[in-house]
Amino acid sequence: MATFTLTVNKKKHTVDVDPDTPILWVLRDHLKLVGTKFGCGKALCGACTIHANGSAIRSCTLPVSAASSLELTTIEGLSEKGDHPVQKAWLEHDVPQCGYCQAGQIMSAASLLASNPSPSDEDIATAMNGNICRCGTYTRINAAIKTAAKNS
Amino acid sequence: MTVIKTRINRRSFLKVSSAGSAGLMISFSWLASCTPGTKTLEIPEEWYDLNAYIKIGNNGVVTLFSPNPEIGQNVKTSMPMIIAEELDVDWKQVIVEQATLNTDKFDRQLAGGSQSIRHGWDGLRMAGATARRMLMEAAAKRWQVSVDGLTAEKGIITNPAIGDQLGYGDVALDASNLEVPEEVELKEIKDFQLIGKRVKNVDAKKIVTGQPLFGIDYAGDEATKVAMIVHPPAFGMKLKSMNDDEVKAMPGIHEVVRINTSLEEPQWSDTNAFNELVAVVGTTTWEVMKAKQALQLEWEADGSLENTTDHEFAMKDSMEQMEGHVAREDGDVSKAFAEADEIVERTYTAPFLAHNTMEPMNFYANVSADKAELVGPIQTPENLRESASKLLGIPEANITVDMTRMGGGFGRRLYGHFGLEAAAISQAIQGPVKLVYTREDDMTQGTYRPAYRVTYRAGLDKEKNLVAFEAKGTGIPGSPLFANRFPAGTVDYYKVTNYWVNTNISTGAWRAPRSNFTAGAEQAFLDEVAEAAGKDPIDFRLELFDRAIKNPVGEKNDYDPERYAGVLRAVREQANWGENKPGVYRGVAAYYCHNSYVAQVMDVVKDGDNLPKIQKIWCAVDCGIVVNLEGAINQVEGGMIDGIGHALYSQMTFENGTPQQNNFDGYRLIRNQEAQMDIDVHFVKNDKHPTGLGEPSLPPVIGALANALYQATGRRFYEQPFALEYEKVQMG
């Protein structure tokens, strides 16, 4: 066990955990931020996507020991009132079915738009290919990203 | 107005005692949040129960309880919409909460078979209409006038004679003390205000902001331990020995326990590969995950260790060498084939599939000496309570089951063994526990869609008419065929025979059970038969439906040929069938299952040597009255992408009983790049009783896909997953 200080959603948190604990479980078990989801544990499905210094990463394979210097943002901290353009577009297009993968999808989409404000279909497909939606809402996800791009 | 008796479901309209009402909420205030979807409503000081589905606040805010489990099929929005329609309340004033399991108050609290809307429709309408009537009666008493002259709209009761108005909140207390009327008036379908509109998912705001909703998010209080299970690495194996000395000394580890969830009289929903498990219990998930890896376990064979290659032979052998069960035979089919001018015979296969809900199996249990609290994602809460009662030796009356939103179901959470496991672990450690599966635990545990094989034969006469049709089906463990579905009733000589192959791999319902394979195979076969007959594939099917309409063969045909033909005609028009666009190749399919009719036209384009790409799908659906148009379209779109993805890419294979795929690297699911397509969904308008949409769009799309791929590649696709079949062909 060791003590780590993390910056999550602009707040500092100190946790006493095993150094190889993935950030995902620090968020969920220790900080009680359960919006970030466990899907595969191996960075294969994207359900656990968060931002590290603004870029989308898979929190299930990032150990806490490598995260102290990073500014982490989770779905809970993407916007103060749930009104990030991507979140608004998700509501407008009524994207979710079961909803479980959507936090990860939204974090990937927000990261894409931050670096590429008007992505092409191909840009979207490439950026979003790591996020599985088992319900098959991909067409709505992609339409919502286009809307968010327009409204950002 | 339609006047109906309130006998059906009457128990749910009888006044809810305040104690009972409180009981509904106490255990689950975590989910019973008062923050409605995207709206900001003032929470009332007092709530008054009108019936089990409805409570009304003194300020007119209305809470509607959604009775059935939500797995992504959107019933948490659509079922309350039905109540709200008849209650005549402004949807903006509505808060939706998930009801707890309460079999005294609600019927069929189950998510499965696309039946929630179909079964719930009458009861939900009555719940709304009854409460509306009681509110109006309360207003009539207040005004000392006859109720007959009053109107109620959007939560406001008006006395047109004098222009007085009362809000539902003003009379809710009085209404809650009235007798439930013996009969109520329901709206005419043409007068619906809310039903049929595009209404957004009531949980959407919580989903997009990451608020706790799902089973895995529910962790109980500080005392709750985390548990993970270890199951045998192969079907046909069991635990021989365990050394947990090292693990028990690991940080955060509380206990390692062996549990046994065997029941003397299991129900269908107890289907499960492994009853004897090892559970590691600790403080945090990561500590338990690490400890699980460090367990020293020795396994031994306990049955046959099966292989996929053997399965393929066994299915073929079963059809060739076993007796089979004739499920239907019209006329002398052997004679008809002997006399046929041309025979088309084709065989189709599909592998085992895992459900792979994105939220892995998990459950919370807090079991004490005489009661149990269970919370989690479950499609069959009533079954879970019954089995938990047997397993724990605690009466059902002392067991509560609360349903969380589910991160996908697809049939996987019909089988509640993970709930029993959590209960067994909690009982063993005498404290609350949260059980979580890893993805690997989840994917290698079974309850798979069975592997299937069917052989179809069609006999044509000299004029190329279809005169004989035969289907033989087998699977591991059983046949996927439905003897009385189309084309039964359209052919004079018709026969279906079922075969069986035993297995110790646990299998179960997977989104649109059996139809998820049969539809694609049958619709691909009919495409070949139409081609052999020299007919347009839509015309060919319409001729068969015409026969079934005018002069059906047999009496047990399980479909309405008019509605079937209706969706096919609708999609023909929608897609402008017959129009040839250069470089675009089209396939068509139609199917009826789970009480809804679906037809699709798919366009694909070539992509070099790669498998052709899907460009667009048109889909026509007849599910009767559409309750929530937004949710309905979403279900149909998702079902098609799901069907396409699994038919193209997914499979579960075995060596020596061991699943060869255990995470999303080995097990391929459709991803964003492969789902870049346009989808156009159309609903046939009618006033028929509404039916469900969770499943019906999935099965036929596999046929439309196979038929479009044939047009583009000149090659028929017989073996799923098609992408693998195509790869094999490309590599020679």
Side-chain angles (χ1 to χ4, degrees), chain B residues 579-628:
Chain B
E579 172 201 48
N580 291 314
K581 281 182 267 178
V584 179
Y585 303 88
R586 311 193 114 175
V588 64
Y591 201 67
Y592 166 69
C593 63
H594 301 90
N595 311 97
S596 295
Y597 297 80
V598 176
Q600 290 136 348
V601 168
M602 183 189 291
D603 280 1
V604 302
V605 292
K606 288 191 181 179
D607 182 26
D609 288 339
N610 300 320
L611 200 69
K613 275 187 174 173
I614 300 167
Q615 191 179 61
K616 178 147 188 174
I617 310 171
W618 287 266
C619 183
V621 181
D622 180 353
C623 60
I625 295 163
V626 174
V627 176
N628 178 7

Side-chain angles (χ1 to χ4, degrees), chain B residues 153-166:
Chain B
E153 205 176 351
K154 297 216 162 181
I156 308 282
I157 301 162
T158 304
N159 180 358
I162 48 172
D164 273 4
Q165 290 194 323
L166 282 167

Side-chain angles (χ1 to χ4, degrees), chain A residues 1 16-22 24-26 28-30 32-47 58 60 75-79 81-83 86-88 90-103 105-106 120-122 124-142 145, chain B residues 38 70-74 198-201 204-205 207-214 216-219 222 226 228 251 283-287 289-290 354-360 405-408 410 436-440 510-511 628 630-631 633-639 641-642 646 662-665 669-679:
Chain A
M1 304 288 264
D16 185 20
V17 293
D18 185 353
D20 62 4
T21 308
L24 169 67
W25 296 114
V26 174
R28 291 186 61 86
D29 284 355
H30 299 269
K32 309 294 176 196
L33 291 169
V34 296
T36 305
K37 295 295 189 262
F38 169 53
C40 70
K42 289 183 174 172
L44 299 167
C45 78
R58 311 296 183 220
C60 72
I75 186 73
E76 292 93 340
L78 182 64
S79 63
K81 293 177 177 171
D83 56 357
V86 173
Q87 289 169 314
K88 281 163 74 177
W90 244 248
L91 295 177
E92 186 184 329
H93 288 268
D94 207 37
V95 174
Q97 285 188 26
C98 86
Y100 192 78
C101 74
Q102 300 296 350
Q105 303 276 2
I106 288 168
S120 66
D121 288 346
E122 271 183 52
I124 292 172
T126 306
M128 302 301 293
N129 216 41
N131 290 79
I132 296 174
C133 173
R134 177 67 184 76
C135 300
T137 64
Y138 296 117
T139 49
R140 283 177 185 239
I141 286 170
N142 295 350
I145 293 173
Chain B
T38 56
E70 173 61 61
I71 59 176
Q73 82 283 42
N74 209 15
R198 294 182 88 122
V199 173
K200 308 289 188 202
N201 186 328
K205 184 75 186 256
I207 290 168
V208 305
T209 53
Q211 293 173 55
L213 267 178
F214 299 93
I216 204 167
D217 302 338
Y218 186 74
E222 289 296 311
V226 175
M228 288 197 151
T283 312
T284 66
T285 313
W286 183 246
E287 287 167 329
M289 272 186 178
K290 282 187 87 170
H355 294 82
N356 290 328
T357 59
M358 291 311 292
E359 179 193 18
R405 189 176 183 87
M406 281 173 256
F410 314 108
V436 181
Y437 276 35
T438 62
R439 175 57 56 192
E440 289 81 2
W510 189 104
R511 197 174 192 176
N628 178 7
E630 188 76 84
I633 295 171
N634 206 347
Q635 287 305 303
V636 172
E637 291 171 347
I641 290 175
D642 191 11
H646 283 89
N662 68 12
N663 209 318
F664 298 124
D665 41 1
L669 287 171
I670 191 168
R671 287 175 181 268
N672 194 305
Q673 274 177 341
E674 296 133 359
Q676 301 254 322
M677 60 187 84
D678 286 334
I679 298 177

Side-chain angles (χ1 to χ4, degrees), chain B residues 134-150:
Chain B
M134 289 159 74
L135 291 158
M136 290 173 75
E137 283 177 6
K141 273 194 180 165
R142 186 83 60 88
W143 287 323
Q144 295 187 320
V145 297
S146 160
V147 71
D148 294 333
L150 306 183

